[in-house]
């Protein structure tokens, strides 16, 4: 059995890296008691809470945290008609938080995720590891068999081209989960008791040209580098599908990172995922996705972007056209999604009018 | 500090998997005392020892091991003029052992590699883990964030296409090294004291289209599936380069595995690599390779094989033509190497006249 860390108050006093340059985005429908366990690690940071579902409910945030909270009414007010691109009654609404943030980095975490322990029993400061991942380069063009060559005690192995050893900027750090693994409904149904107890002490770059299933539970990214691609799609209320929000963002993000020469890392840090969601409910949300992904993934594997696509926004708009053209045939849902992708970029640019000045500000990092 | 396992005699009695279907190939210039530590794990298997260098020397093999030994005179006698494709005074000569084996699987290990310990202190049966890797499928078409989905306690994560969950046959299992990492001469010179102490409890498939630096120190492969691609090139005596034998084999093997839909895994098992080779000597051997790899790797990354290439031999001959055409410009050495690649295949086919019947025999596995 794996157990979460239960006494993080005694965690060594942490130096909060990038304190003024990172927002923590949390989508939720309940009181955020889970933050108590994260207090030593998260308290120095600013939180953006996106309230999922009924806006008349009041969500309690433990004292001492610095936060802003948006419910559906706020989203509608801020985005007007463009609010249609933000999902309702689904944690996909979290991407609204990415859009309103003014920081360079985003860390997003689910409210059923707790502090995990490393094999020595020490509470894992997940955010610190994400920041390490994202501040060191990625190596998408050639595989390093000793994993992340920039970690202490590791390097590039014999046969690794020297011209590639500078790496490329890291846009995404994808963290993993101990205890409840991120399985789909069929696998949950077949293996209800499976728990992830294996602590794999590795971070690695996902090679260029390789897609991966990006989970939004424990995820960090550089908003300046890839933010506009982190759209979590149309899920939940009124949509034919759920639980593909992060997958969609992951596919789009990876194709755009590959095109722009940016890196995506996966592996450490682990969080402790406490409760499995209901597999029957999940199956209902997922079942169309289970069919569709058989066509979506080859689509993304084959997708190429033109040389003119020099910004994330341009890449994303180009991708939305291809989605409409190629996936529109699979289901009319993808027509709607392609339109929402465009709306998302319009809304992003409206709220972030000066990408250039934002970058200049963040340049002091 | 990492330490090797020093008392493997007490290792739990092992069931020797694939006992009659696997040969252990060891290139050496010295007495094989290192086998004492491996006795509980290797004794049930047949060894093929390829003696590197002076054939008049007698190499002692500890009692109780079942082996055949080939020195240079034997190689010349068996291959005649085709012996020119087998390197002399270089551990690249090991590939002769792959050629004379009649088994389906090969495990090859260097004679300065000892038994490593896992984090619990238990001696690692490297061969057993290789066999597990190679008998379970690979997943080259999509990345699984929980690593090898076929291991106990792991599976495919949410968003992994169901159509890809059967995987493909695994052709290669690439193991790693604790203690002395496999660094090139410049890295050895810069970091003389670096030791690999990180035990990463993972096995993963190297994605399709991604090359990797294959190290021959601790390597297992399926001879029937990929044997003829495991040519370790022209290195050592009379050649302008050394220490690129396994790299060459790795690049060719990966391109061919990708073409034929076969998998390559890396990660577990670890062996304990005891002594760093002399970085000054290594630099002399490597320095041309350090330049050349900057052109070789883009060459292999861009290499495609025609649809007619339906066997490893056909793929390899096709690749040899491309080597001659494209890398011949880099240095005349590659002309010679391309010719040796053809000679290698001719010799392989001569010694293995009936690929078909061999497969039928091994089909009983």
């Amino acid at each position: 059995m794996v157990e979460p860390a239960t006494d993080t108050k005694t965690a060594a006093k942490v130096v909060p890296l990038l304190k003024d340059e990172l927002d923590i985005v949390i989508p939720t429908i309940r009181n955020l008691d889970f933050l108590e366990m994260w207090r030593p690690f998260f308290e120095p940071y600013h939180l953006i809470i996106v309230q999922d579902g009924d806006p008349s409910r009041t969500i309690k945030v433990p004292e001492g945290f610095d936060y802003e909270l948006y419910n559906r009414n706020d989203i509608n007010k801020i985005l007007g008609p463009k609010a249609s691109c933000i999902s309702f009654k689904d944690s996909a609404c979290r991407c609204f938080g990415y859009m309103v943030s003014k920081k360079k980095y985003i860390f997003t975490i689910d409210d059923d995720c707790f502090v995990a322990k490393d094999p020595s029993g020490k509470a894992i400061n997940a955010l610190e590891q994400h920041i390490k991942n994202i501040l060191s380069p990625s190596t998408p063009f050639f595989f390093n068999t000793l994993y992340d060559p920039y970690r202490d005690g590791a390097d590039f192995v014999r046969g690794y081209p020297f011209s590639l050893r500078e790496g490329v900027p890291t846009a995404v750090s994808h963290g993993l989960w101990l205890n409840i693994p991120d399985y789909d409904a069929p696998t949950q149904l077949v293996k209800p008791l499976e728990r992830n107890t294996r602590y794999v002490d590795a971070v690695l770059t996902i090679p260029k040209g390789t897609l991966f299933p990006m989970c939004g539970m424990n995820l960090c990214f550089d908003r300046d580098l890839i933010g506009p691609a982190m759209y979590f799609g149309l899920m939940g209320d009124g949509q034919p599908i759920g639980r593909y929000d992060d997958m969609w963002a992951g596919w789009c993000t990876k194709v755009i990172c590959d095109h722009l020469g940016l890196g995506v890392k996966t592996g450490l840090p682990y969080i402790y995922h406490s409760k499995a969601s209901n597999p029957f409910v999940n199956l209902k949300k997922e079942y169309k996705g289970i069919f569709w992904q058989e066509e979506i993934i080859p689509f993304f594997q084959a997708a190429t972007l033109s040389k003119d696509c020099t910004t994330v926004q341009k890449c994303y708009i180009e991708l939305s056209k291809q989605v409409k053209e190629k996936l529109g045939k699979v289901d009319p849902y993808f027509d709607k999604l392609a339109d929402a992708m465009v709306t998302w970029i319009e809304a992003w640019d409206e709220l972030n009018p000066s990408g250039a000045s934002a970058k200049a500000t963040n340049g002091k990092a």
Side-chain angles (χ1 to χ4, degrees), chain A:
Chain A
M1 264 323 281
V2 275
E3 300 284 347
T6 48
D7 182 14
T8 55
K9 279 172 211 143
T10 60
K13 192 72 192 164
V14 295
V15 182
L17 297 166
L18 301 178
K19 188 173 79 68
D20 300 318
E21 298 182 75
L22 183 144
D23 282 336
I24 299 176
V25 173
I26 303 164
T28 192
I29 48 167
R30 60 193 140 220
N31 295 335
L32 292 176
D33 303 324
F34 90 112
L35 285 173
E36 278 306 342
M37 293 316 296
W38 289 104
R39 189 180 287 277
F41 306 129
F42 291 178
E43 205 173 19
Y45 294 87
H46 180 69
L47 312 182
I48 298 178
I49 298 160
V50 187
Q51 182 176 344
D52 178 14
D54 183 3
S56 69
R57 278 197 55 184
T58 303
I59 279 172
K60 275 194 211 143
V61 180
E63 261 184 54
F65 285 94
D66 167 43
Y67 70 95
E68 53 194 302
L69 186 150
Y70 298 93
N71 64 29
R72 190 69 206 182
N73 295 337
D74 302 318
I75 295 172
N76 290 341
K77 207 158 69 188
I78 291 167
L79 293 184
K82 295 196 181 75
S84 62
C85 72
I86 304 297
S87 298
F88 186 47
K89 291 193 180 164
D90 192 285
S91 71
C93 67
R94 77 173 83 204
C95 63
F96 178 76
Y98 312 158
M99 194 183 255
V100 294
S101 166
K102 294 289 168 255
K103 306 285 175 62
K104 183 167 164 60
Y105 301 101
I106 296 285
F107 171 54
T108 185
I109 185 169
D110 280 5
D111 63 5
D112 62 347
C113 293
F114 293 85
V115 179
K117 291 188 289 192
D118 71 16
S120 76
K122 197 173 156 240
I124 298 168
N125 183 348
L127 184 47
E128 183 183 37
Q129 179 68 48
H130 275 300
I131 291 170
K132 280 184 190 171
N133 293 349
I134 216 148
L135 291 183
S136 65
S138 289
T139 54
F141 305 121
F142 198 72
F143 190 88
N144 193 49
T145 50
L146 288 184
Y147 311 100
D148 189 339
Y150 306 105
R151 276 184 88 187
D152 278 350
D155 211 312
F156 293 96
V157 299
R158 181 170 55 92
Y160 204 102
F162 281 83
S163 64
L164 297 178
R165 295 191 186 195
E166 278 189 25
V168 302
T170 302
V172 179
S173 167
H174 177 259
L176 301 175
W177 345 275
L178 288 173
N179 196 41
I180 306 286
D182 186 30
Y183 287 163
D184 47 61
T187 308
Q188 282 184 300
L189 287 165
V190 172
K191 291 178 152 183
L193 299 178
E194 188 150 294
R195 297 292 177 265
N196 187 25
T197 60
R198 184 176 290 129
Y199 182 93
V200 175
D201 186 13
V203 178
L204 59 96
T205 296
I206 301 179
K208 183 176 178 182
T210 299
L211 293 180
F212 78 114
M214 187 179 83
C215 171
M217 224 188 295
N218 171 24
L219 180 71
C220 186
F221 62 90
D222 183 324
R223 247 183 115 252
D224 286 355
L225 289 179
I226 201 65
M230 279 287 179
Y231 176 43
F232 272 45
L234 296 174
M235 303 283 147
D237 203 45
Q239 308 299 340
I241 185 176
R243 285 171 56 85
Y244 275 86
D245 51 343
D246 42 6
M247 297 298 139
W248 184 260
W251 297 322
C252 294
T253 292
K254 188 58 168 57
V255 166
I256 294 174
C257 282
D258 284 350
H259 175 75
L260 296 176
L262 301 171
V264 176
K265 290 184 180 179
T266 185
L268 301 184
Y270 286 94
I271 50 79
Y272 182 92
H273 185 205
S274 67
K275 69 166 193 14
S277 42
N278 183 317
F280 299 98
V281 173
N282 289 346
L283 187 61
K284 198 174 158 192
K285 291 179 180 174
E286 283 173 13
Y287 84 97
K288 281 179 194 275
I290 286 171
F291 292 97
W292 289 346
Q293 71 187 2
E294 299 292 340
E295 307 206 43
I296 299 172
I297 286 168
F299 160 76
F300 280 109
Q301 283 174 330
T304 53
L305 298 168
S306 67
K307 267 197 292 187
D308 309 332
C309 297
T310 50
T311 65
V312 179
Q313 279 91 334
K314 283 181 187 169
C315 291
Y316 203 73
I317 293 294
E318 169 72 26
L319 209 46
S320 78
K321 287 178 193 158
Q322 297 182 22
V323 167
K324 182 159 261 186
E325 189 195 325
K326 304 259 176 67
L327 294 180
K329 294 172 209 156
V330 174
D331 193 277
Y333 167 72
F334 292 97
D335 275 324
K336 206 167 56 168
L337 180 54
D339 292 338
M341 291 169 75
V342 176
T343 306
W344 158 264
I345 293 293
E346 288 168 357
W348 182 283
D349 285 344
E350 207 170 287
L351 291 185
N352 297 274
S354 169
S357 76
K359 258 170 216 154
T361 311
N362 288 312
K364 71 185 170 186

